[in-house]
Amino acid sequence: QRQGLSIIERGFAYKALLDAKNRQGYRSDRDNETSGENRQKYSARALVAEFFGVTKYEIWKAVNLTQLIPELSAILEDTPKQLNLACADLIADYNVESQRAFVEICSIVGYQINKAAMQHITRKCPPPVADRQAIFAAWREARDTAEKRLMAPPRKISFDRKQFAPYLDKFSNDREIEK
């Protein structure tokens, strides 16, 4: 009944409704036979999405975020700049022990996990199970790559001379313009 639900609270509500819809009409005495329940399971997400007025994709994303451990859920809700939704969605695919490594990474002061670093980690340590040390090593690699990219010399800038024509008469050659 509250209006300001977080994405994780909405995910738990969606999940509860999906589970109820999937159980509805289930007959345990006909486990070996096929009945209409398979069609019902596939349409449950569409029914829940229609009920809440959201897309099936939003339902899937919110339900996926319910797999986060409480520490990561708290970081996501309290300090979204430290852990954004895109990264949290990728972290939710990992098991509990692997997620604890991400809690330690998020607790480092002055550092936020970004999507590029998270994608690098998932390439190096694919979910659902990843070694804690491997996650830290992949994170350090991603961080070093980002720092090297920031320290690289700037690329050459090109511009349209017609637009800057009034300002070009102040320079005698192209080297002065580049400076």
Side-chain angles (χ1 to χ4, degrees), residues 2-14 62 65 73 76-77:
R2 272 189 304 135
Q3 293 297 319
L5 294 177
S6 71
I7 183 104
I8 295 174
E9 291 171 331
R10 285 191 309 243
F12 281 116
Y14 297 154
L65 289 174
S73 297
L76 180 64
E77 291 175 355

Side-chain angles (χ1 to χ4, degrees), residues 55-102:
T55 63
K56 291 189 285 186
Y57 180 73
E58 288 176 277
I59 300 275
W60 178 78
K61 284 284 207 187
V63 169
N64 191 34
L65 289 174
T66 62
Q67 297 175 18
L68 289 173
I69 59 176
E71 294 92 344
L72 284 172
S73 297
I75 292 171
L76 180 64
E77 291 175 355
D78 298 339
T79 54
K81 287 186 178 182
Q82 198 170 8
L83 178 66
N84 61 36
L85 281 173
C87 296
D89 187 43
L90 293 171
I91 293 171
D93 294 335
Y94 285 95
N95 67 353
V96 173
E97 288 303 315
S98 301
Q99 287 185 26
R100 291 196 200 296
F102 290 107

Side-chain angles (χ1 to χ4, degrees), residues 91-179:
I91 293 171
D93 294 335
Y94 285 95
N95 67 353
V96 173
E97 288 303 315
S98 301
Q99 287 185 26
R100 291 196 200 296
F102 290 107
V103 171
E104 289 182 37
I105 291 172
C106 288
S107 66
I108 295 172
V109 176
Y111 183 78
Q112 298 93 20
I113 294 181
N114 60 17
K115 190 172 180 182
M118 200 57 224
Q119 288 172 338
H120 181 78
I121 293 170
T122 55
R123 276 193 305 274
K124 292 285 186 175
C125 312
V129 178
D131 180 48
R132 185 170 174 252
Q133 295 303 322
I135 290 173
F136 283 121
W139 172 66
R140 282 190 294 275
E141 285 177 17
R143 195 177 61 188
D144 292 343
T145 303
E147 285 178 10
K148 285 179 187 174
R149 191 172 51 247
L150 288 174
M151 300 307 258
R155 295 180 181 167
K156 190 172 182 178
I157 299 173
S158 63
F159 62 93
D160 185 10
R161 285 187 174 272
K162 290 179 185 177
Q163 290 181 341
F164 292 96
Y167 308 105
L168 294 178
D169 59 352
K170 296 178 184 176
F171 302 103
S172 60
N173 58 25
D174 286 346
R175 288 191 180 175
E176 287 184 18
I177 293 171
E178 286 181 14
K179 286 181 185 177

